Amino acid sequence: MAPVAPGAGTPTGTVTFALSGGGGSTTVPVAVDGTARLTVDSLPAGAYSVTATYSGDANFASSSGSDSHTVNQAATATTVTSDT
């Protein structure tokens, strides 16, 4: 998120991130640098649509945008040993 002309200053407020496929939604505050971030570390592999909705404040209008993301399955290795 960044100001778009004629906007100036740093946005405040919140951003709600919504994930399709049962990912739910989470609202986070806009940081002092005007950014909002969400880290999710427990999604199963698959395709997701992510929508971010900015609440707006006295100087910036509310807005939203969407993008698609794919979570890939992590590579694994299995080792079998025997103590015989």
Side-chain angles (χ1 to χ4, degrees):
M1 175 171 71
V4 175
T10 303
T12 61
T14 60
V15 174
T16 299
F17 293 94
L19 289 91
S20 66
S25 66
T26 302
T27 301
V28 299
V30 174
V32 296
D33 65 356
T35 62
R37 294 189 174 118
L38 176 67
T39 301
V40 179
D41 58 7
S42 59
L43 287 176
Y48 295 89
S49 174
V50 180
T51 300
T53 304
Y54 171 57
S55 65
D57 65 17
N59 298 310
F60 293 90
S62 61
S63 64
S64 66
S66 296
D67 198 4
S68 59
H69 294 274
T70 300
V71 175
N72 295 314
Q73 184 174 7
T76 62
T78 302
T79 302
V80 178
T81 59
S82 175
D83 293 333
T84 59

mmCIF file of all heavy atoms in Angstrom, residues 1-45:
data_model
loop_
_atom_site.group_PDB
_atom_site.id
_atom_site.type_symbol
_atom_site.label_atom_id
_atom_site.label_comp_id
_atom_site.label_asym_id
_atom_site.label_seq_id
_atom_site.Cartn_x
_atom_site.Cartn_y
_atom_site.Cartn_z
ATOM 1 N N MET A 1 0.849 -1.149 0.000
ATOM 2 C CA MET A 1 0.000 0.000 0.000
ATOM 3 C C MET A 1 0.901 1.219 0.000
ATOM 4 O O MET A 1 1.889 1.271 0.731
ATOM 5 C CB MET A 1 -0.852 -0.066 1.267
ATOM 6 C CG MET A 1 -1.717 1.095 1.495
ATOM 7 S SD MET A 1 -2.864 0.808 2.841
ATOM 8 C CE MET A 1 -1.791 0.839 4.243
ATOM 9 N N ALA A 2 0.591 2.205 -0.831
ATOM 10 C CA ALA A 2 1.363 3.438 -0.915
ATOM 11 C C ALA A 2 0.448 4.565 -1.387
ATOM 12 O O ALA A 2 -0.517 4.317 -2.098
ATOM 13 C CB ALA A 2 2.527 3.275 -1.878
ATOM 14 N N PRO A 3 0.742 5.794 -0.978
ATOM 15 C CA PRO A 3 -0.085 6.915 -1.422
ATOM 16 C C PRO A 3 -0.062 7.062 -2.937
ATOM 17 O O PRO A 3 0.971 6.853 -3.565
ATOM 18 C CB PRO A 3 0.566 8.135 -0.770
ATOM 19 C CG PRO A 3 1.423 7.608 0.313
ATOM 20 C CD PRO A 3 1.807 6.232 -0.093
ATOM 21 N N VAL A 4 -1.200 7.377 -3.505
ATOM 22 C CA VAL A 4 -1.328 7.638 -4.935
ATOM 23 C C VAL A 4 -1.740 9.089 -5.094
ATOM 24 O O VAL A 4 -2.642 9.559 -4.402
ATOM 25 C CB VAL A 4 -2.372 6.699 -5.574
ATOM 26 C CG1 VAL A 4 -2.597 7.041 -7.033
ATOM 27 C CG2 VAL A 4 -1.936 5.247 -5.427
ATOM 28 N N ALA A 5 -1.092 9.818 -6.004
ATOM 29 C CA ALA A 5 -1.390 11.238 -6.199
ATOM 30 C C ALA A 5 -2.899 11.442 -6.361
ATOM 31 O O ALA A 5 -3.556 10.642 -7.007
ATOM 32 C CB ALA A 5 -0.652 11.743 -7.432
ATOM 33 N N PRO A 6 -3.494 12.442 -5.756
ATOM 34 C CA PRO A 6 -2.830 13.532 -5.045
ATOM 35 C C PRO A 6 -2.606 13.265 -3.566
ATOM 36 O O PRO A 6 -2.380 14.187 -2.790
ATOM 37 C CB PRO A 6 -3.808 14.678 -5.241
ATOM 38 C CG PRO A 6 -5.149 14.009 -5.200
ATOM 39 C CD PRO A 6 -4.922 12.673 -5.880
ATOM 40 N N GLY A 7 -2.658 12.000 -3.120
ATOM 41 C CA GLY A 7 -2.462 11.675 -1.714
ATOM 42 C C GLY A 7 -1.065 12.014 -1.238
ATOM 43 O O GLY A 7 -0.108 11.988 -1.996
ATOM 44 N N ALA A 8 -0.964 12.351 0.026
ATOM 45 C CA ALA A 8 0.331 12.651 0.629
ATOM 46 C C ALA A 8 0.288 12.219 2.080
ATOM 47 O O ALA A 8 -0.779 12.115 2.670
ATOM 48 C CB ALA A 8 0.646 14.138 0.521
ATOM 49 N N GLY A 9 1.443 11.975 2.648
ATOM 50 C CA GLY A 9 1.495 11.551 4.033
ATOM 51 C C GLY A 9 1.560 10.046 4.132
ATOM 52 O O GLY A 9 1.802 9.342 3.156
ATOM 53 N N THR A 10 1.312 9.568 5.334
ATOM 54 C CA THR A 10 1.371 8.135 5.598
ATOM 55 C C THR A 10 0.003 7.637 6.032
ATOM 56 O O THR A 10 -0.577 8.189 6.965
ATOM 57 C CB THR A 10 2.407 7.842 6.707
ATOM 58 O OG1 THR A 10 3.677 8.370 6.291
ATOM 59 C CG2 THR A 10 2.549 6.352 6.954
ATOM 60 N N PRO A 11 -0.513 6.608 5.376
ATOM 61 C CA PRO A 11 -1.815 6.068 5.771
ATOM 62 C C PRO A 11 -1.786 5.490 7.179
ATOM 63 O O PRO A 11 -0.744 5.010 7.645
ATOM 64 C CB PRO A 11 -2.074 4.952 4.756
ATOM 65 C CG PRO A 11 -1.084 5.139 3.672
ATOM 66 C CD PRO A 11 0.053 5.901 4.239
ATOM 67 N N THR A 12 -2.905 5.542 7.848
ATOM 68 C CA THR A 12 -3.102 4.888 9.137
ATOM 69 C C THR A 12 -4.352 4.025 9.002
ATOM 70 O O THR A 12 -4.986 4.011 7.963
ATOM 71 C CB THR A 12 -3.277 5.907 10.273
ATOM 72 O OG1 THR A 12 -4.433 6.709 10.003
ATOM 73 C CG2 THR A 12 -2.061 6.805 10.423
ATOM 74 N N GLY A 13 -4.711 3.322 10.039
ATOM 75 C CA GLY A 13 -5.914 2.494 9.998
ATOM 76 C C GLY A 13 -5.558 1.025 10.007
ATOM 77 O O GLY A 13 -4.550 0.616 10.589
ATOM 78 N N THR A 14 -6.376 0.219 9.348
ATOM 79 C CA THR A 14 -6.182 -1.220 9.338
ATOM 80 C C THR A 14 -6.340 -1.777 7.930
ATOM 81 O O THR A 14 -6.940 -1.140 7.065
ATOM 82 C CB THR A 14 -7.195 -1.936 10.248
ATOM 83 O OG1 THR A 14 -8.517 -1.652 9.775
ATOM 84 C CG2 THR A 14 -7.052 -1.501 11.702
ATOM 85 N N VAL A 15 -5.796 -2.969 7.739
ATOM 86 C CA VAL A 15 -5.989 -3.720 6.500
ATOM 87 C C VAL A 15 -6.487 -5.107 6.897
ATOM 88 O O VAL A 15 -5.919 -5.752 7.778
ATOM 89 C CB VAL A 15 -4.687 -3.835 5.684
ATOM 90 C CG1 VAL A 15 -4.882 -4.746 4.473
ATOM 91 C CG2 VAL A 15 -4.212 -2.455 5.244
ATOM 92 N N THR A 16 -7.571 -5.536 6.256
ATOM 93 C CA THR A 16 -8.085 -6.878 6.483
ATOM 94 C C THR A 16 -7.683 -7.744 5.299
ATOM 95 O O THR A 16 -7.985 -7.419 4.156
ATOM 96 C CB THR A 16 -9.615 -6.867 6.642
ATOM 97 O OG1 THR A 16 -9.956 -6.054 7.765
ATOM 98 C CG2 THR A 16 -10.153 -8.285 6.856
ATOM 99 N N PHE A 17 -6.969 -8.824 5.594
ATOM 100 C CA PHE A 17 -6.552 -9.793 4.589
ATOM 101 C C PHE A 17 -7.500 -10.976 4.663
ATOM 102 O O PHE A 17 -7.673 -11.570 5.740
ATOM 103 C CB PHE A 17 -5.121 -10.274 4.860
ATOM 104 C CG PHE A 17 -4.075 -9.216 4.679
ATOM 105 C CD1 PHE A 17 -3.635 -8.458 5.753
ATOM 106 C CD2 PHE A 17 -3.526 -8.979 3.436
ATOM 107 C CE1 PHE A 17 -2.656 -7.482 5.591
ATOM 108 C CE2 PHE A 17 -2.542 -8.008 3.255
ATOM 109 C CZ PHE A 17 -2.117 -7.253 4.339
ATOM 110 N N ALA A 18 -8.135 -11.307 3.540
ATOM 111 C CA ALA A 18 -9.040 -12.453 3.479
ATOM 112 C C ALA A 18 -8.485 -13.466 2.489
ATOM 113 O O ALA A 18 -8.113 -13.101 1.373
ATOM 114 C CB ALA A 18 -10.426 -12.009 3.056
ATOM 115 N N LEU A 19 -8.425 -14.734 2.907
ATOM 116 C CA LEU A 19 -7.916 -15.809 2.061
ATOM 117 C C LEU A 19 -9.050 -16.752 1.705
ATOM 118 O O LEU A 19 -9.818 -17.165 2.573
ATOM 119 C CB LEU A 19 -6.823 -16.594 2.784
ATOM 120 C CG LEU A 19 -5.508 -15.859 2.968
ATOM 121 C CD1 LEU A 19 -5.499 -15.107 4.280
ATOM 122 C CD2 LEU A 19 -4.382 -16.847 2.915
ATOM 123 N N SER A 20 -9.138 -17.103 0.425
ATOM 124 C CA SER A 20 -10.147 -18.052 -0.017
ATOM 125 C C SER A 20 -9.794 -19.455 0.466
ATOM 126 O O SER A 20 -8.704 -19.686 0.983
ATOM 127 C CB SER A 20 -10.232 -18.051 -1.544
ATOM 128 O OG SER A 20 -9.022 -18.544 -2.094
ATOM 129 N N GLY A 21 -10.702 -20.387 0.285
ATOM 130 C CA GLY A 21 -10.403 -21.777 0.601
ATOM 131 C C GLY A 21 -10.328 -22.072 2.077
ATOM 132 O O GLY A 21 -9.568 -22.936 2.493
ATOM 133 N N GLY A 22 -11.065 -21.346 2.876
ATOM 134 C CA GLY A 22 -11.070 -21.616 4.304
ATOM 135 C C GLY A 22 -9.917 -20.992 5.054
ATOM 136 O O GLY A 22 -9.685 -21.317 6.213
ATOM 137 N N GLY A 23 -9.184 -20.085 4.403
ATOM 138 C CA GLY A 23 -8.055 -19.423 5.059
ATOM 139 C C GLY A 23 -8.471 -18.379 6.067
ATOM 140 O O GLY A 23 -7.670 -17.916 6.857
ATOM 141 N N GLY A 24 -9.749 -17.984 6.035
ATOM 142 C CA GLY A 24 -10.247 -17.008 6.995
ATOM 143 C C GLY A 24 -9.793 -15.600 6.671
ATOM 144 O O GLY A 24 -9.297 -15.322 5.579
ATOM 145 N N SER A 25 -9.973 -14.700 7.633
ATOM 146 C CA SER A 25 -9.530 -13.321 7.461
ATOM 147 C C SER A 25 -8.882 -12.829 8.742
ATOM 148 O O SER A 25 -9.202 -13.295 9.833
ATOM 149 C CB SER A 25 -10.692 -12.408 7.055
ATOM 150 O OG SER A 25 -11.634 -12.327 8.099
ATOM 151 N N THR A 26 -7.959 -11.889 8.584
ATOM 152 C CA THR A 26 -7.228 -11.310 9.704
ATOM 153 C C THR A 26 -7.070 -9.817 9.452
ATOM 154 O O THR A 26 -6.731 -9.407 8.345
ATOM 155 C CB THR A 26 -5.823 -11.947 9.843
ATOM 156 O OG1 THR A 26 -5.976 -13.358 10.008
ATOM 157 C CG2 THR A 26 -5.063 -11.381 11.019
ATOM 158 N N THR A 27 -7.317 -9.016 10.482
ATOM 159 C CA THR A 27 -7.144 -7.568 10.393
ATOM 160 C C THR A 27 -5.873 -7.181 11.129
ATOM 161 O O THR A 27 -5.653 -7.605 12.267
ATOM 162 C CB THR A 27 -8.357 -6.834 10.987
ATOM 163 O OG1 THR A 27 -9.524 -7.229 10.258
ATOM 164 C CG2 THR A 27 -8.189 -5.326 10.910
ATOM 165 N N VAL A 28 -5.025 -6.398 10.451
ATOM 166 C CA VAL A 28 -3.765 -5.945 11.038
ATOM 167 C C VAL A 28 -3.693 -4.423 10.950
ATOM 168 O O VAL A 28 -4.250 -3.820 10.033
ATOM 169 C CB VAL A 28 -2.537 -6.574 10.336
ATOM 170 C CG1 VAL A 28 -2.549 -8.087 10.466
ATOM 171 C CG2 VAL A 28 -2.471 -6.174 8.885
ATOM 172 N N PRO A 29 -3.017 -3.778 11.904
ATOM 173 C CA PRO A 29 -2.858 -2.323 11.824
ATOM 174 C C PRO A 29 -1.842 -1.934 10.760
ATOM 175 O O PRO A 29 -0.911 -2.692 10.464
ATOM 176 C CB PRO A 29 -2.350 -1.950 13.224
ATOM 177 C CG PRO A 29 -1.669 -3.187 13.725
ATOM 178 C CD PRO A 29 -2.404 -4.346 13.102
ATOM 179 N N VAL A 30 -2.023 -0.761 10.186
ATOM 180 C CA VAL A 30 -1.034 -0.204 9.275
ATOM 181 C C VAL A 30 0.148 0.264 10.130
ATOM 182 O O VAL A 30 -0.038 0.956 11.133
ATOM 183 C CB VAL A 30 -1.630 0.968 8.460
ATOM 184 C CG1 VAL A 30 -0.563 1.638 7.609
ATOM 185 C CG2 VAL A 30 -2.783 0.473 7.594
ATOM 186 N N ALA A 31 1.351 -0.142 9.758
ATOM 187 C CA ALA A 31 2.556 0.217 10.507
ATOM 188 C C ALA A 31 2.906 1.688 10.306
ATOM 189 O O ALA A 31 2.383 2.345 9.406
ATOM 190 C CB ALA A 31 3.720 -0.670 10.056
ATOM 191 N N VAL A 32 3.820 2.200 11.120
ATOM 192 C CA VAL A 32 4.206 3.607 11.045
ATOM 193 C C VAL A 32 4.812 3.977 9.695
ATOM 194 O O VAL A 32 4.804 5.142 9.315
ATOM 195 C CB VAL A 32 5.171 4.012 12.190
ATOM 196 C CG1 VAL A 32 4.486 3.893 13.535
ATOM 197 C CG2 VAL A 32 6.438 3.180 12.166
ATOM 198 N N ASP A 33 5.314 2.987 8.948
ATOM 199 C CA ASP A 33 5.862 3.277 7.618
ATOM 200 C C ASP A 33 4.797 3.182 6.526
ATOM 201 O O ASP A 33 5.092 3.282 5.346
ATOM 202 C CB ASP A 33 7.046 2.366 7.299
ATOM 203 C CG ASP A 33 6.663 0.892 7.181
ATOM 204 O OD1 ASP A 33 5.481 0.544 7.418
ATOM 205 O OD2 ASP A 33 7.547 0.087 6.850
ATOM 206 N N GLY A 34 3.531 2.972 6.924
ATOM 207 C CA GLY A 34 2.436 2.945 5.965
ATOM 208 C C GLY A 34 2.192 1.601 5.311
ATOM 209 O O GLY A 34 1.407 1.501 4.380
ATOM 210 N N THR A 35 2.851 0.557 5.799
ATOM 211 C CA THR A 35 2.666 -0.775 5.215
ATOM 212 C C THR A 35 1.820 -1.647 6.137
ATOM 213 O O THR A 35 1.698 -1.387 7.337
ATOM 214 C CB THR A 35 4.007 -1.481 4.974
ATOM 215 O OG1 THR A 35 4.662 -1.669 6.247
ATOM 216 C CG2 THR A 35 4.902 -0.676 4.046
ATOM 217 N N ALA A 36 1.252 -2.689 5.560
ATOM 218 C CA ALA A 36 0.529 -3.694 6.337
ATOM 219 C C ALA A 36 0.961 -5.052 5.825
ATOM 220 O O ALA A 36 1.008 -5.277 4.618
ATOM 221 C CB ALA A 36 -0.969 -3.509 6.185
ATOM 222 N N ARG A 37 1.282 -5.950 6.746
ATOM 223 C CA ARG A 37 1.785 -7.269 6.355
ATOM 224 C C ARG A 37 1.090 -8.349 7.153
ATOM 225 O O ARG A 37 0.773 -8.167 8.319
ATOM 226 C CB ARG A 37 3.284 -7.363 6.606
ATOM 227 C CG ARG A 37 4.073 -6.442 5.722
ATOM 228 C CD ARG A 37 5.561 -6.714 5.822
ATOM 229 N NE ARG A 37 6.239 -5.902 4.840
ATOM 230 C CZ ARG A 37 7.130 -4.973 5.133
ATOM 231 N NH1 ARG A 37 7.454 -4.746 6.377
ATOM 232 N NH2 ARG A 37 7.701 -4.268 4.178
ATOM 233 N N LEU A 38 0.923 -9.485 6.496
ATOM 234 C CA LEU A 38 0.370 -10.663 7.154
ATOM 235 C C LEU A 38 1.220 -11.853 6.762
ATOM 236 O O LEU A 38 1.489 -12.073 5.574
ATOM 237 C CB LEU A 38 -1.080 -10.901 6.722
ATOM 238 C CG LEU A 38 -1.730 -12.170 7.276
ATOM 239 C CD1 LEU A 38 -1.918 -12.061 8.785
ATOM 240 C CD2 LEU A 38 -3.052 -12.426 6.585
ATOM 241 N N THR A 39 1.669 -12.612 7.745
ATOM 242 C CA THR A 39 2.423 -13.832 7.507
ATOM 243 C C THR A 39 1.571 -15.009 7.945
ATOM 244 O O THR A 39 1.056 -15.019 9.066
ATOM 245 C CB THR A 39 3.752 -13.832 8.296
ATOM 246 O OG1 THR A 39 4.520 -12.699 7.886
ATOM 247 C CG2 THR A 39 4.542 -15.102 8.055
ATOM 248 N N VAL A 40 1.407 -15.964 7.058
ATOM 249 C CA VAL A 40 0.634 -17.164 7.360
ATOM 250 C C VAL A 40 1.555 -18.351 7.150
ATOM 251 O O VAL A 40 2.108 -18.528 6.067
ATOM 252 C CB VAL A 40 -0.602 -17.277 6.434
ATOM 253 C CG1 VAL A 40 -1.388 -18.535 6.731
ATOM 254 C CG2 VAL A 40 -1.475 -16.042 6.562
ATOM 255 N N ASP A 41 1.724 -19.167 8.186
ATOM 256 C CA ASP A 41 2.680 -20.267 8.079
ATOM 257 C C ASP A 41 2.038 -21.647 8.162
ATOM 258 O O ASP A 41 2.728 -22.639 8.321
ATOM 259 C CB ASP A 41 3.770 -20.133 9.134
ATOM 260 C CG ASP A 41 3.228 -20.110 10.551
ATOM 261 O OD1 ASP A 41 2.018 -20.337 10.741
ATOM 262 O OD2 ASP A 41 4.020 -19.865 11.472
ATOM 263 N N SER A 42 0.718 -21.728 8.022
ATOM 264 C CA SER A 42 0.086 -23.035 8.190
ATOM 265 C C SER A 42 -0.955 -23.344 7.108
ATOM 266 O O SER A 42 -1.928 -24.031 7.373
ATOM 267 C CB SER A 42 -0.567 -23.112 9.568
ATOM 268 O OG SER A 42 -1.540 -22.087 9.693
ATOM 269 N N LEU A 43 -0.770 -22.828 5.903
ATOM 270 C CA LEU A 43 -1.709 -23.130 4.821
ATOM 271 C C LEU A 43 -1.318 -24.425 4.123
ATOM 272 O O LEU A 43 -0.145 -24.622 3.825
ATOM 273 C CB LEU A 43 -1.722 -22.004 3.780
ATOM 274 C CG LEU A 43 -2.394 -20.709 4.177
ATOM 275 C CD1 LEU A 43 -2.216 -19.680 3.058
ATOM 276 C CD2 LEU A 43 -3.861 -20.926 4.449
ATOM 277 N N PRO A 44 -2.286 -25.286 3.843
ATOM 278 C CA PRO A 44 -1.965 -26.462 3.039
ATOM 279 C C PRO A 44 -1.677 -26.056 1.595
ATOM 280 O O PRO A 44 -2.077 -24.975 1.151
ATOM 281 C CB PRO A 44 -3.228 -27.323 3.137
ATOM 282 C CG PRO A 44 -4.314 -26.404 3.578
ATOM 283 C CD PRO A 44 -3.661 -25.260 4.292
ATOM 284 N N ALA A 45 -0.998 -26.925 0.876
ATOM 285 C CA ALA A 45 -0.686 -26.651 -0.527
ATOM 286 C C ALA A 45 -1.975 -26.430 -1.302
ATOM 287 O O ALA A 45 -2.996 -27.059 -1.047
ATOM 288 C CB ALA A 45 0.100 -27.808 -1.124
#
